[in-house]
Amino acid sequence: MIGRLASWWRRRRAERLAIPDPAWDAAESGLPFLAHLSTDERRRLRQLAREFIAEKQWSGAQGLQVTPHMQLAIALQACLPVLHLGLDWYRGWVGVVIYAGDFVIPRRVIDEDGVVHEYDDDVMGEAWYGGPVLLSWFDDPAEAGGINVVIHEFAHKLDMLSGDADGLPPLHEGMSRRSWIAAMDEAFEDFRRRVDAGEETPLDPYGAELPTEFFAVASEAFFETPQLLRDEYPQVYRQLALFYRQDPLTPA
Ligand SMILES: [Zn+2]
């Protein structure tokens, strides 16, 4: 009931957002990986993106002016993973914070000996548990160096829905937890070995850091370069297709 009420409110607020077709077209033309979607899916993606824009609180960091184009481009990418899951998968938080390019997060960690280490971390994005998603914005997507920061951070949000960010999001009924873990673990270990050996890999080497990063990086590839992911790690591709309930290589 609460879910239904929430989606009713969301739709009502979204209806008040007037987004002209040329604005959608311009945002979509910068996202070539949407090309495989059917007409029906594209319509649905726009509707989700509209509701997502209406529902979240948008802010620019360090004086950045958030433009409608930024919102559209980010919302379309954020909603692609939940196209067949629904916006409830992004429940429990509201903030989307946009930075101009990459940014610095001051970190403070205390090690086992109780020594405090403070350092600056250069990042392109971050997803906070129960909190906002922080994203860098590049006017020229080439500047992001092949990284899809939006899909990456929103994959973390899905991962966190099960409690921890550990590369295991809540799976659907009928999916096998054991098959998921087997596919992800095997691929992660292999990927780590290859990255450690200095091998050139088609996936972002950052995925070798932690299982949650591997899930986020594999999700980026699943949507942006699905053929590459399926060639490298077919079992991972299969599990992601089951989880996202879509198959970019076999359009609906
Ligand atoms: Zn990450």
Side-chain angles (χ1 to χ4, degrees):
M1 184 60 208
I2 286 174
R4 238 201 260 163
L5 193 64
S7 61
W8 178 79
W9 265 113
R10 198 155 60 210
R11 272 199 304 276
R12 234 184 90 137
R13 275 171 50 196
E15 276 160 19
R16 284 191 233 131
L17 263 185
I19 304 171
D21 277 344
W24 286 114
D25 294 340
E28 286 172 357
S29 70
L31 307 169
F33 50 92
L34 301 180
H36 73 277
L37 298 178
S38 68
T39 315
D40 227 41
E41 286 177 316
R42 284 184 97 99
R43 197 179 308 125
R44 188 175 156 70
L45 184 63
R46 284 187 180 189
Q47 179 56 27
L48 282 184
R50 181 195 294 272
E51 291 177 22
F52 180 85
I53 291 170
E55 177 180 77
K56 299 304 181 196
Q57 277 169 15
W58 298 76
S59 47
Q62 297 157 353
L64 176 79
Q65 189 77 36
V66 176
T67 66
H69 178 71
M70 288 176 194
Q71 286 183 309
L72 284 188
I74 289 170
L76 285 165
Q77 295 177 84
C79 292
L80 180 62
V82 296
L83 181 60
H84 295 286
L85 303 179
L87 274 187
D88 279 350
W89 285 70
Y90 292 149
R91 64 185 175 265
W93 58 275
V94 292
V96 178
V97 184
I98 310 175
Y99 289 76
D102 48 5
F103 51 99
V104 169
I105 297 180
R107 308 271 189 207
R108 189 169 186 276
V109 289
I110 303 173
D111 69 19
E112 301 144 2
D113 301 323
V115 179
V116 177
H117 301 266
E118 289 183 349
Y119 60 100
D120 285 341
D121 208 1
D122 280 303
V123 297
M124 287 173 64
E126 186 152 275
W128 289 2
Y129 188 83
V133 173
L134 280 48
L135 299 167
S136 47
W137 172 264
F138 298 93
D139 285 324
D140 174 5
E143 282 177 65
I147 289 161
N148 188 310
V149 65
V150 179
I151 291 178
H152 184 107
E153 297 310 330
F154 283 86
H156 282 317
K157 276 292 187 193
L158 298 175
D159 189 358
M160 288 169 182
L161 275 180
S162 59
D164 300 314
D166 55 2
L168 179 64
L171 303 180
H172 310 300
E173 226 180 278
M175 285 185 74
S176 156
R177 194 182 151 97
R178 190 187 291 176
S179 306
W180 177 280
I181 292 173
M184 294 296 171
D185 278 3
E186 192 188 322
F188 177 64
E189 286 313 322
D190 175 74
F191 189 63
R192 220 150 122 114
R193 205 165 41 236
R194 292 166 66 188
V195 169
D196 281 351
E199 201 182 306
E200 280 279 323
T201 55
L203 305 185
D204 180 359
Y206 188 59
E209 294 273 319
L210 288 167
T212 185
E213 298 304 343
F214 186 74
F215 168 67
V217 163
S219 294
E220 289 176 58
F222 180 77
F223 290 106
E224 275 209 314
T225 52
Q227 189 71 57
L228 277 181
L229 179 67
R230 197 171 68 178
D231 290 348
E232 290 289 311
Y233 297 117
Q235 291 308 323
V236 170
Y237 184 89
R238 201 181 119 67
Q239 290 300 320
L240 292 182
L242 290 172
F243 174 64
Y244 289 117
R245 291 187 166 150
Q246 48 185 314
D247 184 347
L249 291 174
T250 318

